[in-house]
Amino acid sequence: MKKGIYPGSFDPVTLGHLDIIMRASKLADELIVGVLVNKSKQSLFTLDERVELLKRVTKDMPNVTIKSFDGLLVDFAEEEKADFIVRGLRAVTDFEYEIQLAHTNHRMRPEVDTVFLTTTLQYSFVSSSLVREIASYGGDISAFVPECIEEDIYKKYGFNK
Ligand code: COA
């Protein structure tokens, strides 16, 4: 049985993330989406909220489980007995950071590999901060996030949409 981990901040989850989750869930028997307690980022959504939004958007994916983690990704991977880590590559600009992350993780724990999936072209420019910025002005975020979480994002900025 192959187990994958897709880690990230997911603040909030976007259609780009969902694209990676759907495709990675076909590569693994079980996919864990690991929501990071990220000390270096000030988040819009609390950890519990980010987990809840992810659970909502993945509710029809039976082999996907949402969990949070604090600390090193490789330790979380070991705890979960994961076989591989999944990361999405949107453009060449992601590559430098991602390769550094993958090499470091592999050095710390050689038995866990990183698998890269290229983000589907139509989401290759989407990021959570872009969604947050558009929503903060009340702009249309429907092309970037799942419909069922749009309202939660607008609410954070005082909009009732
Ligand atoms: N679709 C849409 N957006 C995507 C995306 C995709 N497929 N892939 C990445 N992004 C965006 C995110 O929206 C986010 O955008 P933002 O910065 O505008 O908010 C950005 O890319 C990066 O976010 P994310 O993929 O969530 O990663 P991260 O940088 O927050 O966290 C971890 C990356 C979790 C893998 C890393 O920080 C980690 O492992 N931390 C644990 C501590 C550790 O082990 N450190 C040592 C590592 S060597």
Side-chain angles (χ1 to χ4, degrees), residues 26-146:
K26 291 181 190 147
L27 301 176
D29 297 298
E30 185 182 355
L31 180 74
I32 296 181
V33 179
V35 187
L36 174 70
V37 179
N38 199 336
K39 294 183 181 85
S40 61
K41 278 188 182 176
Q42 177 91 33
S43 62
L44 175 67
F45 288 94
T46 65
L47 182 65
D48 288 347
E49 287 170 336
R50 285 179 277 142
V51 167
E52 197 276 312
L53 295 181
L54 273 157
K55 282 187 177 165
R56 204 186 301 165
V57 302
T58 59
K59 69 175 181 4
D60 295 327
M61 299 180 202
N63 67 335
V64 176
T65 310
I66 315 298
K67 292 189 178 175
S68 59
F69 75 102
D70 197 356
L72 289 177
L73 175 58
V74 286
D75 291 341
F76 180 55
E78 191 193 10
E79 253 169 59
E80 293 295 333
K81 298 186 174 43
D83 301 287
F84 62 93
I85 292 164
V86 178
R87 292 290 289 167
L89 287 177
R90 290 168 297 173
V92 73
T93 43
D94 281 342
F95 186 75
E96 211 171 317
Y97 171 63
E98 293 298 337
I99 194 114
Q100 187 186 23
L101 210 68
H103 280 314
T104 312
N105 286 333
H106 195 253
R107 183 67 196 263
M108 290 192 284
R109 201 163 287 284
E111 57 278 19
V112 185
D113 264 313
T114 300
V115 172
F116 292 109
L117 292 180
T118 50
T119 305
T120 300
L121 204 56
Q122 74 185 110
Y123 304 124
S124 60
F125 61 95
V126 178
S127 72
S128 300
S129 51
L130 180 120
V131 168
R132 293 194 300 270
E133 183 166 350
I134 298 171
S136 74
Y137 294 107
D140 184 2
I141 53 172
S142 59
F144 313 122
V145 296

Side-chain angles (χ1 to χ4, degrees), residues 1 3 13 21 30 33 51 85 89 99 106 125 138 141 143-144 148 150-151 153 156 159-160:
M1 175 158 148
K3 204 176 197 185
V13 55
I21 295 171
E30 185 182 355
V33 179
V51 167
I85 292 164
L89 287 177
I99 194 114
H106 195 253
F125 61 95
I141 53 172
F144 313 122
C148 63
E150 277 182 36
E151 200 182 322
I153 302 169
K156 284 281 177 188
F159 295 105
N160 222 341

